[in-house]
Amino acid sequence: MDVSYDEYEEDIYEDYNELIEEEKISRREALARNFYDYDMLAKKSETDKAIIFVIFSEIAVSHVKILHTFKDYLEKNLTELDIKIIQQENKLTPQQYSDLASRKERVLQKLKNMSLDYFPRACWYYDELVEVVQKFINNFKLENENTDSIVSTVLQRFDRDCENTKSEKFIVYTTLAENLYNQGLIGVDGIEDVKHVLQSFRIEDVSDEQLTEDEQGKLADRIKSVLSNLSRST
């Protein structure tokens, strides 16, 4: 094992967080891309495998949901770990071995209770994307006295996500429209395009994507409400 117990922890989390911050991607996509890079390293030894799968499982259970096939893969590899081989490899101190064994059992229990995701494409979850869009808009308003470009700036930042799924597109546009209305920015450039996109919303368009039925209904209600508010204000 060329990488130590503590170094694995530091490196994996550093790579995961860098993907989120620098690539501006969802936690689910960051997890998938990061895991792809480390999956081959897990084949170096049973100890490497144990450390890597425990750490990635701990990241996975911090998410709202987990892709059902990924959950099965994590559980299979964790339960099949050969304790005798890990002990024979003698790459961990007794304290590290005990710590890793405890973490493995805890994360296996948490995996069993995770909500499952059956949508295969990596994307943002509802609340996660609303939070990220809202944070970006808040930062934009703090950094810019002139808000004329707010629509184009927000849509440029989330262009990739809007192209990924219809759900993500409507979440971005809805959150943007709500902010425009709440901040009295109903005369900025691009607002008519935002309204036009929201007017095209049909709940059937997002029914086979990543949103739950409750989230679909919540999104539909938000779109109806913000369109009504904007209509009364113009």
Side-chain angles (χ1 to χ4, degrees), residues 43-224:
K43 296 175 172 58
K44 293 175 62 177
S45 74
E46 197 73 1
T47 305
D48 288 271
K49 177 181 177 181
I51 296 170
I52 289 170
F53 273 85
V54 165
I55 294 172
F56 275 101
S57 296
E58 289 175 338
I59 295 175
V61 298
S62 73
H63 293 187
V64 176
K65 300 178 185 178
I66 184 171
L67 186 65
H68 68 107
T69 52
F70 188 49
K71 172 180 179 287
D72 292 343
Y73 186 64
L74 292 175
E75 287 182 326
K76 180 178 183 294
N77 280 275
L78 286 173
T79 54
E80 291 180 352
L81 287 172
D82 194 317
I83 302 302
K84 289 184 178 179
I85 293 179
I86 295 175
Q87 291 174 330
Q88 290 170 2
E89 289 174 344
N90 198 30
K91 297 179 178 180
L92 300 175
T93 66
Q95 182 176 351
Q96 288 172 337
Y97 174 80
S98 176
D99 178 61
L100 185 63
S102 297
R103 291 169 65 183
K104 171 198 161 186
E105 294 305 317
R106 285 196 301 269
V107 81
L108 272 171
Q109 289 301 313
K110 291 180 180 179
L111 280 170
K112 291 179 181 178
N113 298 322
M114 284 289 292
S115 297
L116 299 181
D117 182 5
Y118 293 92
F119 188 62
R121 186 181 304 172
C123 55
W124 295 88
Y125 292 123
Y126 183 89
D127 290 330
E128 180 187 23
L129 183 54
V130 171
E131 180 181 346
V132 170
V133 175
Q134 185 63 59
K135 181 179 179 180
F136 182 82
I137 292 173
N138 290 342
N139 289 339
F140 174 86
K141 290 186 293 186
L142 285 173
E143 297 169 3
N144 297 273
E145 293 184 8
N146 188 334
T147 55
D148 288 345
S149 65
I150 186 171
V151 171
S152 60
T153 302
V154 171
L155 296 183
Q156 182 178 12
R157 157 63 182 86
F158 295 98
D159 177 67
R160 178 176 179 271
D161 309 300
C162 290
E163 293 290 333
N164 191 40
T165 65
K166 292 180 180 179
S167 301
E168 288 167 295
K169 179 177 182 178
F170 284 115
I171 292 170
V172 170
Y173 274 76
T174 302
T175 307
L176 173 58
E178 289 171 339
N179 275 270
L180 296 178
Y181 172 74
N182 291 334
Q183 299 299 321
L185 303 175
I186 58 175
V188 296
D189 294 338
I191 192 169
E192 291 302 321
D193 293 332
V194 173
K195 289 166 59 178
H196 178 73
V197 168
L198 293 180
Q199 287 165 350
S200 73
F201 174 78
R202 299 292 182 271
I203 200 164
E204 294 81 8
D205 294 336
V206 300
S207 61
D208 61 347
E209 295 184 338
Q210 77 274 26
L211 302 184
T212 65
E213 288 187 8
D214 286 344
E215 290 168 343
Q216 294 172 35
K218 185 186 299 184
L219 180 60
D221 290 341
R222 289 175 63 199
I223 291 173
K224 181 179 179 181

